[in-house]
Every structure is written in C-alpha cells, then in structure tokens.
Amino acid sequence: MTPSPSPASVPPADGPAGRVEPAGPGRPAGGTARVDPPDRADPVDSLILHATDNGVSWITLNRPEAMNALTREQREHLIARLAEASADPDVRAVVLTATGRGFCAGADLRGSPSSGERVAGDVARMIRDGAQRLIAAVLDCEKPVIAAVNGTAAGLGAHLALACDLVLAAESASFIEVFVRRGLVPDGGGAYLLPRLIGPQRAKELMFFGDAVPAAEAARLGLVNRVVPDRELAKTAREWAQRLAAGPTRALALTKQLVNASLDADRAAAFAAEATAQEINMTTADAQEGVASFVQRRHPAYRGR
C-alpha cells in the first residue's frame, strides 16, 4: 500500500510516557470477559489483542514501540477481527484502541519484501487490497465501532479512527494527514472520509499542509465526538460501548448502513433505503420488544436479535 509513514517520521504524542493499558476487559466492570488464548503459531496475536466482555469486542493494537504502525499481517488480522464481530451474534459493539503513546502511525512497510520491477497497476492493486480493505472493514462492520484514540493517529492510522462510527480522543491525542510531508497522495479512504466529516475546504487544508491537529481542535472541527482526559479514556469507552451493546443491535446496524449510504445517494434512493431498512427491522425480536415496552411503559430489554 502507499505508505502512511513509519513511526520514526511521526512526532510522538504529548501524553504520558510508558504503557497505556487497553481500554478493554482487562478490568471488567461486572459480567464475564472472554479473552482469546494466543495462538503460539501466530505472533500477530500478541500485536493485536482481543477479548470479548459483556457483548463488546475489544480490539487493541499492541505494538507501542512502533507507535502501533500496522504491518500487512496485522492489517489482515484486524480485518478478520472486524469480520468476526459482524458475524458473531454475541458481539453487539466493537472498541478499537491501542497501547502506548500512539494510536496508529499508519502503515509500516519496513518489513515488506522488495517489489522489484514495478508494473503499471501494481500500486493501485496494493491500495485496493490493503488500506482500502481495512477502512471498508470498519465502515461495513455490522456492529457499531468506537475508536478510543489514545495518542497520535497519523496517515492510515488517522483514517482508521475516522472510519469508526464514534470517535473518543484522549486530550493527548492528535491527528495528522501526514502524506503530503512525504510527497504522497492520501490513501486509506482519506479523500472520501474527510470531506464528509468536515467539508472539502477544511479537508484540503489538513491534507495540503499535513499539520498535526490536537484533540481539542479535532473536536471543534467535527473529526471526533468527544475529548476526555487521558485517564478517563478507558472508562468513557467502556460506558459508551456498554450502552451500544445494550441497544437493538440490528436496528443500529441498519441505521449505520443508512447514514453511510446517504452520503452518496440522492433523496429518492435514501428514502427507498430507509423504508426497506424499516421493513427488515420490524421482523426482529428487538423491534417487537421496543414497541411492546413503549405500550407497557417499561424499559426495553434488547437481546440483539
């Protein structure tokens, strides 16, 4: 894939040094946590941690010494985890976070084999099969995905966060459209995501200059939902994820699809999609429960079915 630069080219976040514990089920707040046992034959399992806690799939990038820059193997592992979350009826929300001072410094190509002679079409194919597949995996995940951004999110790492449905940022976090610094065109869906979040002129400003955007400014621009003190990132991510996990899972999935598709649809297509989604959703047990609880004046008990 076109390189989001290596960690050495990205300034470190201003947050506290040292390991940041993942905002996941290492400290479960009630209920049970299922931590996937590491596969000794696959070292990538130690670089992308995974556990399920009370219906929430916690996916944690765990390569802090490299600012969590993604290798090809890690990228594929992450795509697989998101696909598993979509298919698992017991998973009702996803949190994507990281350890250390960086959320993700982009793609790490240092371990990639030499490409040799370049043939026309190779780079485009690499982008489609790599960075774009990763961003599509987040956008197409059938469960709501929260990014808990603990530090620097640069290049593909920024786009990975911004593709999530909700973005929480620690005060020490920052976002960098770093491609221009290396003479590169943004990849990983950046030119698609940013104009839809903050408009074309603001998007061009970030992409043309490549300046670091601190968390507070990112919130002002509309790139993130909320900025919290570093020490509260894990707690807030857990609270938001648990609220989503207790909701009507299929209705949330259909709502996500409607919102994402509306950005590329005309009114007629958007209205038709809305009617179809409501038709599909009314076949779910949660929709029946929602209506019944309203009539009976009680709180609904959704089961994600």
Side-chain angles (χ1 to χ4, degrees):
M1 78 185 70
T2 302
S4 304
S6 66
S9 66
V10 179
D14 294 329
R19 180 184 176 89
V20 176
E21 291 299 325
R27 301 179 298 278
T32 58
R34 186 182 78 228
V35 180
D36 293 348
D39 183 352
R40 296 184 183 278
D42 186 0
V44 178
D45 278 333
S46 67
L47 302 179
I48 296 186
L49 307 178
H50 179 255
T52 302
D53 177 24
N54 288 336
V56 180
S57 174
W58 297 86
I59 303 174
T60 304
L61 307 182
N62 186 39
R63 197 173 169 230
E65 71 282 359
M67 296 283 283
N68 292 305
L70 289 172
T71 65
R72 183 185 65 83
E73 291 77 16
Q74 287 175 285
R75 182 195 71 218
E76 294 303 310
H77 203 74
L78 188 52
I79 291 171
R81 287 299 188 192
L82 290 163
E84 290 167 6
S86 280
D88 188 345
D90 293 327
V91 171
R92 299 172 65 182
V94 178
V95 176
L96 179 60
T97 189
T99 60
R101 294 183 297 129
F103 175 75
C104 179
D108 187 350
L109 301 185
R110 291 177 298 181
S112 301
S114 175
S115 59
E117 182 182 358
R118 177 171 295 172
V119 177
D122 282 352
V123 173
R125 187 181 310 107
M126 196 179 304
I127 294 296
R128 288 194 302 269
D129 293 344
Q132 290 178 353
R133 279 182 58 242
L134 175 59
I135 300 306
V138 179
L139 293 171
D140 295 338
C141 183
E142 295 179 27
K143 310 298 166 62
V145 183
I146 298 172
V149 183
N150 56 295
T152 299
L156 178 60
H159 301 164
L160 177 62
L162 300 178
C164 293
D165 302 301
L166 300 170
V167 184
L168 291 170
E171 288 178 341
S172 63
S174 62
F175 299 81
I176 312 175
E177 286 297 315
V178 76
F179 299 92
V180 70
R181 299 185 185 182
R182 305 293 172 257
L184 301 174
V185 172
D187 66 24
Y192 175 87
L193 293 168
L194 260 71
R196 286 163 170 77
L197 290 170
I198 59 176
Q201 289 178 315
R202 288 288 193 185
K204 290 172 188 174
E205 179 182 345
L206 298 188
M207 291 180 168
F208 287 0
F209 294 115
D211 294 332
V213 180
E217 176 68 6
R220 190 185 69 80
L221 291 173
L223 289 172
V224 306
N225 294 87
R226 186 176 299 178
V227 177
V228 299
D230 287 37
R231 65 182 180 278
E232 295 182 12
L233 181 64
K235 175 177 177 289
T236 307
R238 177 178 295 282
E239 289 172 350
W240 282 29
Q242 288 298 330
R243 288 184 64 185
L244 292 171
T249 307
R250 296 312 306 164
L252 291 175
L254 290 165
T255 301
K256 173 176 177 172
Q257 292 172 13
L258 285 175
V259 173
N260 287 350
S262 73
L263 298 172
D264 302 310
D266 58 28
R267 186 181 68 181
F271 277 24
E274 177 185 277
T276 299
Q278 195 70 286
E279 176 75 26
I280 294 171
N281 187 64
M282 286 306 296
T283 67
T284 67
D286 279 351
Q288 302 303 317
E289 166 64 9
V291 173
S293 65
F294 174 77
V295 172
Q296 298 166 15
R297 297 185 178 181
R298 59 174 174 80
H299 290 295
Y302 296 122
R303 298 184 296 110
R305 303 294 194 271

